């Protein structure tokens, strides 16, 4: 593989999943490129985590309440990712909360409006994340921001494992679902290494967080794929947001 080919995956991941000024790669956006982009999303998580840590460090030198600082960090991450993961979380919650076959679920998820399940889930998850980020600030645990950003993107690789097919009407799923195999152990082991490397506070909680988040991502993605008739982009977004919260809880509990 050429150097240009090797960087197309990360380049696509950053241009696709963030507002960072990264140009889109030349050439067709096919399933091969979609799989390469998903396989690079943990790198995106590291960068977003570092940006969040820098923002938290700056906010820590103000007199703003920790909860407000946490909400600002959650808002910053939403802006940096165009809010697509929060939208996926809301749609997934609405889909799981309705009755009927996959066709009915897809209709609810793609209705364009947020239902009661989606609205409640958004509020709870965003506020809980804000409290978690505020607590990390209180502990001056800046390295944990990077770790949480990283592990919360490893779940997208797990969600696109080869055994889960794309949903029939999902363009995003058609480009990414079922594309990952060897990248899964690579990034899970990488998450364990990051947990050990980023700071003395994280080794034990970091290892536990990796185990808990990996297990959650595996089971939740399997359930959603069965309920929705395959994987789609909304499920991947919900995996990211829920795994962020789980990782925050485990690190803080440790």
């Amino acid at each position: 593989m050429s150097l240009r080919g090797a960087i197309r995956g990360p380049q696509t991941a950053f241009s696709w999943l963030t507002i960072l000024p990264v140009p889109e790669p030349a050439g067709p956006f096919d399933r091969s490129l979609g799989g390469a982009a998903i396989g690079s999303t943990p790198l995106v998580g590291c960068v977003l985590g570092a940006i969040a840590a820098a923002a938290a460090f700056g906010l820590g030198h103000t007199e703003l309440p920790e909860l407000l600082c946490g909400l600002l960090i959650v808002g910053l991450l939403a802006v940096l990712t165009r809010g697509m993961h929060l939208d996926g979380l809301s749609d997934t919650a609405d889909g799981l909360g309705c009755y009927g076959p996959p066709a009915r679920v897809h209709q609810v998820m793609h209705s364009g409006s947020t239902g009661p399940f989606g609205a409640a889930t958004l509020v709870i998850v965003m506020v809980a994340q804000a409290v978690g980020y505020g607590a990390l600030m209180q502990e001056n645990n800046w390295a944990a921001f990077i770790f949480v950003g990283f592990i919360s993107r490893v779940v997208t690789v797990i969600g696109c494992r080869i055994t889960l097919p794309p949903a029939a009407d999902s363009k995003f799923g058609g480009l990414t679902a079922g594309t990952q195999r060897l990248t899964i152990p690579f990034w899970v082991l990488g998450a364990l290494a990051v947990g050990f490397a980023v700071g003395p506070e994280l080794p034990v909680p970091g290892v536990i967080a990796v185990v808990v988040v990996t297990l959650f991502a595996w089971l939740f993605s399997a359930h959603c794929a069965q309920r929705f008739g395959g994987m789609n982009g909304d499920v991947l977004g919900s995996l990211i947001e829920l795994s962020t919260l789980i990782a925050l809880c485990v690190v803080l509990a440790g």
Side-chain angles (χ1 to χ4, degrees), residues 74 83-97 109 114-129 216 220 224 228 232-245:
V74 171
M84 65 174 67
H85 306 323
L86 292 172
D87 180 66
L89 174 64
S90 173
D91 287 345
T92 300
D94 282 333
L96 291 174
M109 294 176 70
T114 301
F117 286 104
T121 301
L122 274 179
V123 171
I124 293 171
V125 171
M126 292 180 71
V127 172
Q129 286 182 359
F216 162 75
F220 185 76
C224 289
F228 302 158
N232 58 36
D234 288 331
V235 175
L236 296 181
S238 66
L239 278 172
I240 289 174
E241 295 297 340
L242 293 173
S243 296
T244 296
L245 178 56

Side-chain angles (χ1 to χ4, degrees), residues 1-172:
M1 180 183 294
S2 66
L3 177 61
R4 180 179 179 182
I7 66 173
R8 291 187 78 218
Q11 182 182 2
T12 303
F14 278 99
S15 65
W16 192 11
L17 302 174
T18 75
I19 63 170
L20 298 177
V22 178
E24 295 183 5
F29 198 131
D30 54 15
R31 184 169 169 82
S32 175
L33 184 56
I38 287 296
S40 303
T41 50
L43 299 176
V44 177
C46 276
V47 172
L48 293 176
I51 294 173
F57 181 79
L59 290 169
H61 288 80
T62 70
E63 297 298 324
L64 293 175
E66 291 168 3
L67 177 56
L68 177 57
C69 292
L71 287 169
L72 291 174
I73 292 169
V74 171
L76 172 64
L77 291 172
V79 170
L80 289 173
T81 57
R82 302 186 184 91
M84 65 174 67
H85 306 323
L86 292 172
D87 180 66
L89 174 64
S90 173
D91 287 345
T92 300
D94 282 333
L96 291 174
C98 77
Y99 294 99
R104 169 58 180 162
V105 174
H106 295 165
Q107 182 182 8
V108 170
M109 294 176 70
H110 302 152
S111 65
S113 60
T114 301
F117 286 104
T121 301
L122 274 179
V123 171
I124 293 171
V125 171
M126 292 180 71
V127 172
Q129 286 182 359
V131 173
Y133 285 129
L136 290 183
M137 288 178 57
Q138 185 180 25
E139 298 178 357
N140 295 322
N141 195 350
W142 317 117
F145 283 84
I146 300 174
F147 173 75
V148 170
F150 182 85
I151 187 60
S152 66
R153 267 64 183 185
V154 172
V155 299
T156 62
V157 182
I158 296 173
C160 289
R161 61 188 181 274
I162 197 168
T163 55
L164 297 182
D169 64 342
S170 174
K171 181 178 180 181
F172 190 100

